[in-house]
Amino acid sequence: PIAPPPPAASASDGGSADDAALSLDASVSLDSFGHTSSVWTRKGNRVVLNCRRIYFRPEAAAAAEGRRHPCDLSEEALRRALALQENEPLSSPRLIAFLDAASALKTARPDLISDAERLPFFLNVYHTMIQHAFTLLGPPSSSIKAFSFFNTIAFQVCGDVFTLAELEHNILRAPSGRPRSFLSKLVLPKSTYPFALGTADRRINFAISCGSVSGLEKVPIYTRSGIHLQLDLAASAFLDRTVSVTHRSPPDGPATIVLTLPKVFHWFARDFGAGTPTDGAAAAMAYLTGNRRELLRSCLAPGADPKPDLTINYASFSFACSRLSELHQAGAPAVGEGRGRGA
C-alpha cells in the first residue's frame, strides 16, 4: 500500500512557516513517503495468497525480526509448503505455520542481496506459490484455465506484487530470451521489477516446475551455498525423465538417431547456444548419462565417422499438474560432464 505523506506543518498546529513551505516544495522527493508498486498499474486481477498476516511496513517488520536473510525465509516457506498434505484441514497447525511463513516473505528484501542469491530465493518462492495455490485451490484442469491461473495467483514480496507468470518471465527469466511463439509474445506479462535477475542461466529452464506431468514434479529446496549443484541435479533429473533417444537401423537406409526433447527446448531455443535444434541436443547431452548420452555423442562429437543421421522432435506439453514434492540429492540421477550456466 502507498503510505500517505505526513500532513503539512503550519504555524497554527505548532509548525514553523519554513516547515510548511518544505512540505509543499515540489523538489522534495516522495521516495521516503510513498511507494508506487506495479500492482497499482497492471490491468487485470491478482489474487494475493500470502495474506494471513498484514505488514503495513514490511521493511520495519523485517528490522524488528532481526532482518532474516531472504533465502532463509524462502527456504522455510517452501519446506513448510512441501510438508502439507493434499487435504490439509484449514485448522491444521501445519497449515497455519506455512501461511505465516508465506506471509513473512513480505518482509524479504531481495533488492538488497546479490544476483546470485536472488536465484535460489525466487526459485523457492515460485515453488512455494505453486504448492500454496494447489493446496488451497487445486491445480488448473485445462490449458485455458492454466493461463488464468498463472496470471492470477500472486504473492506480495518487498512491497511489490507479482503473479506466477510475472515471477517466471519478468523476474527469473528477465535476462533470458523470450519464447519463440508469436502468441506467447502477445499474452506474456510485460511488468518490470527492480529485483529481477540480471544474469541468464539456461538451467532455469529445467529448475522451474509447475508440477506438470511433462516436467519434474520434485524440486530441491534451493540454498545459497548449494545452488549450482542443485541446479545441475535438477537439470539431470528433469532431462532423465523427459528426453528420449532411440536408434533406428533400417535394412535399406542409413542409421538414424531419433531424439525427442521437452517443449522447453523449442520455446526457449535461444537459451541454448544459437538456438538451433542441434544446440539444444548438445545442451541436453551434457546432462544425460549412459546409452542415451553415447548415442547422441555418436552424432554430435566432432570427428565421429561415420555419423548416423539425427532427427530431433519436441514432445507436446501437458498442463495436467500435480502437487510438488522435495527432490533430495541422494535420489537424483548422476549428472553428465557439461555443467554450468551456458550461453
Side-chain angles (χ1 to χ4, degrees):
I2 299 178
S10 66
S12 62
D13 58 355
S16 67
D18 290 340
D19 289 336
L22 178 62
S23 67
L24 299 176
D25 187 346
S27 66
V28 175
S29 172
L30 293 179
D31 291 344
S32 300
F33 302 100
H35 175 59
T36 302
S37 165
S38 60
V39 66
W40 305 115
T41 58
R42 178 183 181 271
K43 295 181 180 179
N45 297 318
R46 289 182 173 99
V47 177
V48 180
L49 294 186
N50 61 332
C51 288
R52 171 173 158 77
R53 293 188 178 274
I54 298 174
Y55 295 90
F56 291 101
R57 295 184 60 199
E59 70 285 356
E65 295 179 9
R67 196 179 293 283
R68 293 178 62 192
H69 194 284
C71 289
D72 295 336
L73 292 171
S74 71
E75 289 172 37
E76 179 183 354
L78 181 55
R79 184 173 293 107
R80 292 188 180 277
L82 296 176
L84 295 175
Q85 303 299 312
E86 185 169 0
N87 298 310
E88 196 78 45
L90 293 180
S91 59
S92 163
R94 185 164 45 205
L95 176 60
I96 293 172
F98 161 67
L99 295 176
D100 285 345
S103 295
L105 289 171
K106 295 179 182 180
T107 70
R109 294 296 305 270
D111 56 323
L112 300 181
I113 60 178
S114 68
D115 204 56
E117 292 173 320
R118 291 176 193 172
L119 179 53
F121 172 78
F122 281 117
L123 283 172
N124 288 339
V125 171
Y126 183 90
H127 295 137
T128 298
M129 292 173 68
I130 289 288
Q131 194 80 337
H132 193 163
F134 285 3
T135 298
L136 298 183
L137 307 173
S141 56
S142 68
S143 57
I144 295 177
K145 291 183 178 180
F147 173 79
S148 175
F149 180 90
F150 287 100
N151 282 277
T152 301
I153 298 301
F155 261 28
Q156 179 184 347
V157 174
C158 192
D160 216 325
V161 174
F162 45 74
T163 63
L164 281 163
E166 289 168 322
L167 175 50
E168 177 178 353
H169 296 285
N170 306 123
I171 297 176
L172 282 165
R173 296 188 188 274
S176 304
R178 303 289 278 181
R180 296 178 62 174
S181 167
F182 177 74
L183 180 60
S184 296
K185 295 177 182 179
L186 296 179
V187 301
L188 288 181
K190 298 177 174 61
S191 309
T192 58
Y193 295 90
F195 41 70
L197 266 63
T199 304
D201 190 326
R202 66 185 182 189
R203 294 173 297 178
I204 290 175
N205 290 290
F206 316 131
I208 296 175
S209 175
C210 64
S212 167
V213 297
S214 297
L216 194 62
E217 296 168 3
K218 293 187 175 184
V219 297
I221 298 175
Y222 290 98
T223 65
R224 285 170 280 170
S225 60
I227 178 65
H228 291 295
L229 175 60
Q230 290 174 309
L231 285 173
D232 282 336
L233 292 172
S236 181
F238 175 84
L239 295 171
D240 181 69
R241 177 173 178 173
T242 59
V243 173
S244 169
V245 185
T246 57
H247 180 266
R248 296 177 183 174
S249 298
D252 56 349
T256 302
I257 302 299
V258 180
L259 168 66
T260 302
L261 293 171
K263 199 70 171 180
V264 68
F265 280 90
H266 176 70
W267 288 336
F268 300 99
R270 294 183 183 87
D271 287 352
F272 306 101
T276 67
T278 303
D279 288 327
M285 183 182 72
Y287 293 96
L288 295 174
T289 59
N291 188 54
R292 285 178 295 180
R293 181 183 178 87
E294 294 309 313
L295 286 174
L296 284 180
R297 187 190 294 274
S298 68
C299 301
L300 301 175
D305 189 38
K307 288 186 179 181
D309 293 335
L310 177 62
T311 300
I312 300 176
N313 302 316
Y314 299 99
S316 59
F317 184 85
S318 172
F319 283 96
C321 298
S322 63
R323 291 164 50 80
L324 300 173
S325 59
E326 185 174 354
L327 175 65
H328 296 282
Q329 180 174 339
V335 181
E337 296 173 2
R339 307 178 183 180
R341 296 175 178 175

